Amino acid sequence: MTLRPFRPRLRAGLLTLLCLGGGGLGFAAPAAAQTSIAQGGVAACPDFAPARVVLDLQIAPLRTDYSQSIRQLAQKPGRRPVAGRTANSHTLGLAAIQYNQQWQAGVMTASLGQGRYCGAAQTLTVTFGYDERTVYVARELPQGSCIHGEVLAHEMRHVTVDEQLLREYVPVLKRRLEEVVGRAGPAQGRSERQVMAAIEQPIKAAMRQLMEEFGRERNARQARIDTPAEYERISQSCNGEINRYLGRV
């Protein structure tokens, strides 16, 4: 009944370029923005529309796997140590997730003349959630037995916490990202590449911070389930049935 901790799969974001007055990548190019010419022949950066943030919540179907042995579950990577467990404790079950976040920003740019460019994010689409979820119960615990049901119920508490936290965090993530892109405003540079990099940097930093906060909160909530008292309760449940099966390990 060891919980695999939050280990996000961080995927690089993708920026899609929308060139003002030119061909776009992935989107139809908008009409050229009206720009005013400043001194020196360099146009002022046009007024870009505010960026729109779209979140796509991802919760993969839950799988169950009763084919792994206690020894195999104990060897799975990423298991979080639980306070109060002894060296001879057994991993009877595991709630494992694979977390995924990826984002794509649609960026609009404009040439200002004299080798200068400016641009701003127009859309930010974030896919956020769990792309794999598996609950394991050790194969030494027969399906249909009382102790199998106790271990499965324990792991399902972890699943419930994951689902609840994910849904709670979606509006937080959306609000924080809207604040980030709202504060950023247009970026300028000597090339579209520089503009894109300047737009990408605060988004990447914000995503990393948000995912770290999410991970800490998740681990804290899950730790409230994996307590010494809970392990003791399960070990004493079902009239001590677990001892019958641990003798086979």
Side-chain angles (χ1 to χ4, degrees):
M1 296 160 305
T2 310
L3 179 71
R4 185 174 180 176
F6 172 82
R7 292 184 177 275
R9 176 195 292 175
L10 294 176
R11 295 182 178 175
L14 174 65
L15 279 83
T16 302
L17 180 64
L18 305 174
C19 301
L20 286 177
L25 300 177
F27 292 89
Q34 297 295 318
T35 59
S36 57
I37 304 299
Q39 288 185 351
V42 178
C45 197
D47 291 330
F48 294 103
R52 184 169 61 94
V53 177
V54 178
L55 260 67
D56 179 17
L57 180 63
Q58 182 181 39
I59 303 182
L62 183 66
R63 297 175 53 248
T64 54
D65 186 336
Y66 306 144
S67 67
Q68 305 289 303
S69 68
I70 291 174
R71 187 184 302 275
Q72 287 173 314
L73 292 182
Q75 293 173 347
K76 284 190 174 296
R79 295 184 306 109
R80 180 174 56 80
V82 178
R85 297 198 69 189
T86 61
N88 62 351
S89 297
H90 297 284
T91 301
L92 306 178
L94 186 67
I97 67 165
Q98 183 163 278
Y99 169 80
N100 172 44
Q101 68 87 5
Q102 54 186 332
W103 58 269
Q104 178 175 355
V107 176
M108 186 176 290
T109 66
S111 174
L112 304 180
Q114 302 295 316
R116 301 290 300 179
Y117 296 84
C118 74
Q122 297 296 281
T123 60
L124 177 59
T125 303
V126 178
T127 301
F128 173 67
Y130 309 128
D131 59 5
E132 287 186 20
R133 301 190 302 156
T134 306
V135 167
Y136 299 91
V137 177
R139 70 183 181 213
E140 287 86 351
L141 309 183
Q143 294 183 48
S145 66
C146 177
I147 190 61
H148 183 281
E150 285 285 346
V151 173
L152 180 59
H154 172 93
E155 301 306 334
M156 290 305 298
R157 290 176 63 192
H158 288 302
V159 171
T160 299
V161 166
D162 278 338
E163 292 176 348
Q164 180 178 350
L165 177 60
L166 189 65
R167 291 190 171 93
E168 288 179 13
Y169 207 67
V170 164
V172 175
L173 182 63
K174 188 174 189 293
R175 174 178 54 81
R176 295 271 294 274
L177 290 175
E178 286 173 340
E179 292 172 355
V180 168
V181 296
R183 286 195 307 265
Q188 295 195 32
R190 294 193 174 276
S191 67
E192 288 179 338
R193 185 182 296 274
Q194 283 188 1
V195 171
M196 300 280 275
I199 293 170
E200 179 184 41
Q201 192 278 330
I203 297 174
K204 287 177 65 176
M207 287 298 299
R208 185 169 296 278
Q209 180 179 352
L210 286 162
M211 295 306 101
E212 288 174 354
E213 291 175 6
F214 178 84
R216 287 194 296 268
E217 178 62 21
R218 177 181 183 269
N219 289 341
R221 293 192 187 191
Q222 297 291 12
R224 292 196 284 269
I225 297 175
D226 284 327
T227 64
E230 171 68 359
Y231 283 109
E232 179 65 18
R233 183 192 69 78
I234 292 178
S235 69
Q236 299 299 321
S237 66
C238 304
N239 296 317
E241 183 183 44
I242 184 61
N243 296 314
R244 185 189 320 166
Y245 305 117
L246 290 182
R248 304 174 185 175
V249 179

